[in-house]
Amino acid sequence: MDNRAIGVFDSGLGGLTVVKELHNILPNENIVYLGDTGRIPYGSRSKETIIKYSMQDIQFLKGNDIKLIVAACGTVSSTLPKEISQNLGVPYVDVVFPSAQEACARTSHGRIGVIGTAASIRSNAYGKTIHSLRDDVHVFANPCPLLVHLVENGMIEPDNQITRLTVEMYLKPLIEESIDTLILGCTHYPIIYDIFNQVLNYRVTLIDPGKCAAQYVKKVLSREQLLTDRTEPGVTQYNVTDQVSGFQQTASLFLGETVSGTLNQVELV
Ligand code: DGL
């Protein structure tokens, strides 16, 4: 048993879709969240910059005495080399492996689509992981650079025509490949889950990285005997690198609940 917090980080608020699922399935765990809101987006940056920023995020979390680190960001998960992520001194969970595993388990015809930021798709991390699990499936990927901005700007209503048209444009080549399963390979995307479903006529299985990663965290904590033995609800500490004003309102959309817990603006070194 271990009552230290779970550390979760993202380039911004998308990682809160992982926190939401952790709240659902591990309600007694404490969480320390870091959103690097001052430097979002990561997805359009070079590999070197993404690794540098990720290391600073991880250092911050490690300074908060955490027992496990979750890279709640498709971009970081796709980019951070294993030599780094497997030598952090605490278990590390990303969103790529759990999502790839779920897609491989659920695909009906072996035609899996992947969408994500430019950096995630360029790395082919999802494709490589899927093929390491199953060599009999086809993977079709398309970067969707505009979606993070639309989501961060609150254009998330199911009837938002701009977001819907953008999703249609990005999914067209994948629909033409008759995908049966789609990995939402960026933690911002589950916020517009309904729009994806509408554009795909509810015919494609959507893989939510937040849900998959949270289940995987539970599995790892249980396997490593690191689950809390607290019986009361855990507390979440939110940290951002840009101003905190407006955070409560936007964050509650990602969390699906009112933000409760402390909120700090922090500087990364
Ligand atoms: N949440 C990030 C991801 O999952 C996307 C935002 C960014 O580009 O930094 O890839």
Side-chain angles (χ1 to χ4, degrees), residues 10-15 39-44 72-76 95 116-117 120 148 185-188:
D10 179 38
S11 56
L13 302 185
R39 299 191 296 197
I40 190 173
Y42 283 11
S44 53
C73 174
T75 306
V76 172
V95 294
T117 65
S120 298
V148 166
C186 167
T187 49
H188 280 72

Side-chain angles (χ1 to χ4, degrees), residues 195-208:
I195 298 183
F196 287 115
N197 254 336
Q198 283 166 23
V199 170
L200 294 166
N201 285 322
Y202 299 86
R203 290 205 186 108
V204 169
T205 302
L206 297 181
I207 306 294
D208 176 338

Side-chain angles (χ1 to χ4, degrees), residues 7-58:
V8 182
F9 75 99
D10 179 38
S11 56
L13 302 185
L16 294 174
T17 56
V18 178
V19 173
K20 174 186 172 184
E21 301 301 335
L22 289 173
H23 283 168
N24 284 339
I25 65 168
L26 294 168
N28 298 338
E29 295 288 348
N30 286 347
I31 295 173
V32 177
Y33 183 80
L34 172 66
D36 193 5
T37 49
R39 299 191 296 197
I40 190 173
Y42 283 11
S44 53
R45 298 184 194 273
S46 68
K47 184 176 171 182
E48 292 70 28
T49 302
I50 296 166
I51 293 173
K52 181 174 132 195
Y53 288 178
S54 307
M55 292 309 296
Q56 291 173 325
D57 298 338
I58 288 169

